[in-house]
Amino acid sequence: MSFLYKFKTKQIFFSVIILEALAIFLILNYIFTSLSNQTKNQALENLQTISLKVSEQVDSELKKVQYSTKIIADAYMRNYEQIKENSKTPVDEWKNKMIENTHTRSFIYDGLNNPETKHMSHELQSFVDKKTLFNKNVVYRLETAEKLKELFHGIYRNYKYSYIYISTYNNVLHIYPTVNLKYEKHAAAPTTQHWYEAADFKNKTYGWEEPYSDLSGVGQMVTVSYPFYDRTEKLQGVVSHDITIQQILEKFMKNIELYDNSTTIVISQKGKAISTNNQKYNDEIELKNKDSYRGLLYYLNNKDLEELKKNNTEYINSQNSWLNNLSSQAIHNLKDKPYYSFEFTKENDNENRIHQVSAVRIPTTNWIIINTVPNKQILGQLNESSLQTQIAIAVLLSVLYLIIGLVYYIRFFVPIEEITDITNKIAKGELNHKIKTNYAGEIGNLFMNYSKMIKNLLLAKELSQKYNSKLEDEIKIRTAQIEEKNKQLLELSTRDNLTKLYNRNKLDEVLISEVNRANRYNKPFGIVFIDIDYFKKVNDTYGHQVGDDILKEFAKIIHDNLRKTDILGRWGGEEFMIICCETDLEGILILAEKIRKEIAIYDFGIKEQKTASLGITTYKKDETINELIKRADTALYMAKNKGRNTIEFL
């Protein structure tokens, strides 16, 4: 337990009090959290159960619609086979009865065949594409349709709004109820229409279309199509049944609303918005889809929508971003599973932020029913009760611990604070203090010992000040010596020992800097190589000491004729380099000629007059330093080869 000595007594005391209070809070919180979790789990289980029940009911209703197409198909083929064997009606008789339209011939089975029949009258209507040969087969199909009037009417009565089609392989279309003849163009070539292509020809069974919007304002619709065949398994056509989605869902959607403020949405397997239990959201679906037959509104987040827009760039998602995120999350979580429950975070809604979600798939169409309820709605009174209880306990604990704290503070912490204050002042060097003597017991002994300690500290302070003064003087001397040595080392690392000019290392550093500056700011610069002509003869004739003296004088002549911006250094042996910063060729040539002349007239104190050869080049953008140096070196050798004491540029 030695670690406790690292803390102040007051810290330990109040920490214990806080820990005790915290422990009580944690226990209570655990109890209420457990109750909350049980409540949420039970609510989610109930939500999932009712969602599955509604899914089964909707699926059952869809299967009834689905089965209606098979009933019609079977009845159609039975009557067709009978009429095919017994019909004696001449082709022309039927042809003459047909109403001639732009793209089709039509007939209404109302006894009048009135072309002015109202749109959606409860009558059967047939269309024959004008491109179709009007023969016996067409007659058989027209007469077969007449036999099925009551069947069509009976199935239609079960739904508030629907269309029933029979589209034959030879482009004869039977439809119930009637459509206005101004739409007859859409009845031509029914085998190319979306309702025909929706059938599952591969498996010879039902096929469902993606939901679409009825442009006449009825709302969201869906089509189931069933292909039918003759005895030889030859395709004869497709029976299609259009129904409004709302009339299927509305009778079941209310059953799923277990809680107030819950939201239920129905989407296709790709995320297309189909319906909700919220009129505001349904209004958005209707508004966004009103001008598009296929419907454009999807409940998908932006990432998923962009993937879908590869097929159609007109697709959009909802202005209610939380529905987009909810739907995308449900689709990803559900995958191929029949149902899935999860917790969803609704952004920008602090009041109803966390939701419990149940997602259930409708098997027949693969639509998804998503039901979401805010946690606040589920927990309700439980959270309110939990908060009230915790507040009451907090108040009681606060009063109790306040009384305990006051007793300990007066008897124990006040003297400790006084002794702590004295200790802090001692730490700052303040040693003139009067210690109270009115405390008894251990506190009194502590104050007495502090008084003795202060006397000893005053004596030690005097001795320490004398020693520190002497030590500071010694440190100043040593620091000055080190700084001087560092300056000397820096000078030695960048200077040539003989000429005191920059050495090759320093020249390399400057070249790198100038190349970077030239590339970044397009600043011109160039270099000059200077070599003493016939310098070897000086060493051979007069010795190396004279040669060294000439090198130093040579370096001084060059240095004295430089500009402030030029950098001079000894490249090696009797060869020197000038880096001409921010200087073009003309400026470099003037400088080089000036130096060449000064060297040529200078008296070096030996019999022979000394001269120099100079090679010049300028930097070309993005070339390497080696390429620059090689070109200047080549220019120098050109000067040597032309008789020396001359300047060459390359």
Side-chain angles (χ1 to χ4, degrees):
M1 301 294 285
S2 60
F3 72 92
L4 291 176
Y5 296 116
K6 298 178 182 179
F7 301 97
K8 295 178 181 179
T9 306
K10 188 189 294 185
Q11 289 176 329
I12 295 173
F13 174 74
F14 284 110
S15 295
V16 170
I17 291 178
I18 292 170
L19 286 173
E20 288 176 355
L22 183 62
I24 294 171
F25 273 114
L26 288 175
I27 292 170
L28 289 172
N29 187 62
Y30 174 77
I31 294 170
F32 284 113
T33 300
S34 298
L35 290 174
S36 296
N37 288 335
Q38 290 176 10
T39 303
K40 284 193 294 184
N41 292 336
Q42 185 60 51
L44 200 55
E45 186 178 334
N46 294 341
L47 198 65
Q48 186 170 285
T49 300
I50 195 66
S51 296
L52 285 169
K53 184 65 177 177
V54 169
S55 170
E56 291 172 4
Q57 291 172 337
V58 173
D59 192 61
S60 175
E61 193 69 18
L62 290 171
K63 283 179 178 176
K64 290 178 185 177
V65 177
Q66 186 173 266
Y67 188 63
S68 71
T69 59
K70 186 175 187 306
I71 292 172
I72 294 170
D74 292 345
Y76 185 85
M77 284 309 298
R78 283 196 305 272
N79 283 276
Y80 174 78
E81 294 294 342
Q82 292 174 5
I83 289 171
K84 185 177 177 182
E85 292 178 5
N86 302 319
S87 177
K88 295 185 172 37
T89 307
V91 172
D92 289 341
E93 182 180 328
W94 259 105
K95 190 173 183 181
N96 292 333
K97 288 194 295 185
M98 304 295 284
I99 300 169
E100 291 288 332
N101 307 305
T102 304
H103 302 91
T104 63
R105 296 181 178 90
S106 62
F107 185 83
I108 300 174
Y109 300 86
D110 60 353
L112 301 174
N113 193 25
N114 181 8
E116 301 299 326
T117 301
K118 290 183 179 180
H119 188 65
M120 289 200 70
S121 294
H122 293 181
E123 298 292 346
L124 180 64
Q125 186 177 21
S126 292
F127 291 91
V128 180
D129 192 316
K130 279 192 172 181
K131 295 178 182 179
T132 297
L133 179 62
F134 205 100
N135 56 15
K136 279 282 187 183
N137 188 281
V138 172
V139 171
Y140 300 154
R141 296 189 182 281
L142 293 171
E143 291 182 348
T144 301
E146 190 170 17
K147 295 281 188 181
L148 300 181
K149 279 176 57 177
E150 291 304 318
L151 178 60
F152 275 91
H153 186 65
I155 291 174
Y156 178 82
R157 277 201 310 267
N158 290 324
Y159 301 94
K160 294 177 182 177
Y161 182 94
S162 69
Y163 267 116
I164 304 168
Y165 312 76
I166 299 178
S167 309
T168 68
Y169 74 92
N170 57 343
N171 285 321
V172 176
L173 175 67
H174 312 299
I175 185 168
Y176 189 99
T178 62
V179 296
N180 193 298
L181 290 182
K182 68 181 180 180
Y183 301 122
E184 59 91 21
K185 178 181 178 180
H186 300 291
T191 55
T192 64
Q193 296 291 347
H194 62 92
W195 64 77
Y196 190 90
E197 294 173 346
D200 185 353
F201 296 107
K202 180 179 178 181
N203 298 306
K204 296 182 179 181
T205 189
Y206 311 100
W208 287 86
E209 272 197 290
E210 274 277 292
Y212 62 91
S213 291
D214 182 78
L215 298 183
S216 64
V218 174
Q220 292 276 85
M221 299 194 72
V222 68
T223 301
V224 59
S225 294
Y226 179 74
F228 59 92
Y229 302 81
D230 63 14
R231 295 168 185 171
T232 64
E233 293 299 311
K234 179 182 177 182
L235 178 66
Q236 293 298 303
V238 170
V239 177
S240 303
H241 195 170
D242 288 357
I243 55 168
T244 57
I245 294 172
Q246 202 61 30
Q247 68 175 295
I248 293 178
L249 297 179
E250 65 182 5
K251 65 173 89 172
F252 304 117
M253 291 288 272
K254 291 183 180 179
N255 296 339
I256 207 169
E257 296 178 13
L258 291 176
Y259 300 92
D260 293 336
N261 206 22
S262 66
T263 300
T264 304
I265 64 173
V266 182
I267 59 173
S268 73
Q269 60 182 331
K270 293 182 180 179
K272 179 179 285 187
I274 296 176
S275 183
T276 77
N277 67 336
N278 187 309
Q279 189 57 45
K280 181 181 77 170
Y281 302 148
N282 284 336
D283 289 344
E284 183 191 32
I285 294 172
E286 184 176 345
L287 178 65
K288 298 297 185 183
N289 291 335
K290 69 176 182 178
D291 295 325
S292 172
Y293 170 71
R294 280 297 176 189
L296 302 175
L297 184 65
Y298 281 78
Y299 286 152
L300 292 174
N301 61 31
N302 292 334
K303 180 181 177 182
D304 291 342
L305 182 68
E306 287 303 315
E307 185 67 25
L308 192 66
K309 285 175 73 172
K310 292 177 181 178
N311 300 323
N312 186 341
T313 57
E314 294 183 351
Y315 288 154
I316 57 174
N317 55 9
S318 174
Q319 293 179 345
N320 300 287
S321 59
W322 82 277
L323 292 178
N324 300 328
N325 295 332
L326 171 66
S327 177
S328 279
Q329 191 171 336
I331 290 172
H332 290 305
N333 286 338
L334 198 58
K335 295 181 180 176
D336 296 327
K337 296 185 282 292
Y339 56 85
Y340 190 84
S341 300
F342 59 96
E343 193 167 81
F344 173 74
T345 301
K346 184 178 179 181
E347 297 177 357
N348 303 320
D349 188 348
N350 293 329
E351 185 177 355
N352 293 309
R353 184 171 176 80
I354 306 300
H355 287 237
Q356 299 302 317
V357 181
S358 172
V360 178
R361 192 183 300 280
I362 300 173
T364 297
T365 56
N366 272 327
W367 297 346
I368 301 170
I369 300 175
I370 304 171
N371 196 8
T372 173
V373 182
N375 272 6
K376 182 178 179 181
Q377 204 65 44
I378 295 172
L379 299 177
Q381 295 295 324
L382 182 63
N383 276 345
E384 187 177 343
S385 171
S386 169
L387 181 62
Q388 291 173 350
T389 303
Q390 291 184 54
I391 291 173
I393 293 173
V395 171
L396 289 173
L397 288 176
S398 298
V399 172
L400 175 63
Y401 287 130
L402 178 63
I403 295 171
I404 296 172
L406 283 172
V407 172
Y408 272 87
Y409 184 79
I410 294 170
R411 182 64 185 89
F412 191 64
F413 291 121
V414 169
I416 287 201
E417 284 182 353
E418 289 180 6
I419 204 72
T420 301
D421 183 58
I422 293 171
T423 304
N424 290 334
K425 290 179 179 178
I426 291 172
K428 294 176 182 178
E430 300 176 18
L431 300 176
N432 298 318
H433 301 288
K434 289 184 178 180
I435 305 297
K436 292 183 178 181
T437 58
N438 59 335
Y439 292 109
E442 293 84 354
I443 298 294
N445 291 334
L446 180 64
F447 273 63
M448 187 181 297
N449 290 331
Y450 256 80
S451 181
K452 293 178 182 178
M453 182 185 70
I454 289 172
K455 291 178 182 178
N456 292 332
L457 286 173
L458 284 169
L459 179 62
K461 182 178 180 181
E462 292 176 5
L463 295 173
S464 176
Q465 286 175 342
K466 293 179 182 179
Y467 175 77
N468 287 342
S469 177
K470 183 178 179 181
L471 183 62
E472 286 175 0
D473 293 340
E474 183 69 23
I475 289 172
K476 287 179 182 178
I477 294 170
R478 294 295 178 89
T479 301
Q481 291 174 346
I482 291 171
E483 288 177 351
E484 182 62 28
K485 292 293 183 182
N486 286 338
K487 289 180 182 177
Q488 292 174 4
L489 287 172
L490 180 63
E491 188 70 17
L492 288 172
S493 68
T494 59
R495 295 285 180 178
D496 176 59
N497 190 44
L498 177 64
T499 63
K500 307 307 179 187
L501 300 178
Y502 285 134
N503 59 20
R504 187 160 179 170
N505 288 337
K506 181 65 176 179
L507 290 173
D508 286 338
E509 181 183 322
V510 174
L511 279 172
I512 291 170
S513 174
E514 287 303 309
V515 165
N516 290 336
R517 199 151 65 100
N519 287 334
R520 180 177 297 177
Y521 303 111
N522 290 322
K523 299 289 186 181
F525 85 94
I527 61 174
V528 181
F529 269 140
I530 305 174
D531 188 82
I532 304 173
D533 295 332
Y534 301 113
F535 180 73
K536 185 175 183 304
K537 290 182 180 180
V538 174
N539 284 332
D540 293 344
T541 304
Y542 300 101
H544 287 283
Q545 184 60 50
V546 173
D548 288 348
D549 292 340
I550 288 176
L551 282 172
K552 289 188 281 187
E553 291 180 56
F554 196 84
K556 185 176 184 305
I557 293 169
I558 299 173
H559 183 270
D560 291 346
N561 286 279
L562 292 180
R563 301 163 304 176
K564 289 183 178 181
T565 58
D566 298 325
I567 307 296
L568 173 63
R570 185 180 179 190
W571 189 251
E574 67 273 20
E575 196 169 348
F576 297 83
M577 177 190 284
I578 304 172
I579 301 173
C580 301
C581 306
E582 296 192 24
T583 309
D584 58 13
L585 175 60
E586 184 179 355
I588 298 172
L589 286 171
I590 292 170
L591 174 66
E593 180 61 19
K594 180 182 177 183
I595 292 171
R596 186 193 68 76
K597 287 180 179 179
E598 290 295 327
I599 293 171
I601 63 174
Y602 186 80
D603 182 7
F604 286 91
I606 59 175
K607 183 179 178 181
E608 298 84 357
Q609 179 61 45
K610 299 313 296 174
T611 61
S613 299
L614 295 87
I616 299 173
T617 190
T618 56
Y619 177 71
K620 297 178 181 178
K621 188 172 177 59
D622 294 328
E623 72 174 340
T624 65
I625 293 175
N626 287 338
E627 290 171 339
L628 176 70
I629 292 172
K630 183 176 181 181
R631 194 164 59 253
D633 197 44
T634 302
L636 175 63
Y637 277 97
M638 287 169 61
K640 292 282 189 184
N641 293 334
K642 286 188 177 182
R644 294 176 169 79
N645 192 25
T646 186
I647 300 170
E648 284 296 323
F649 164 74
L650 186 61

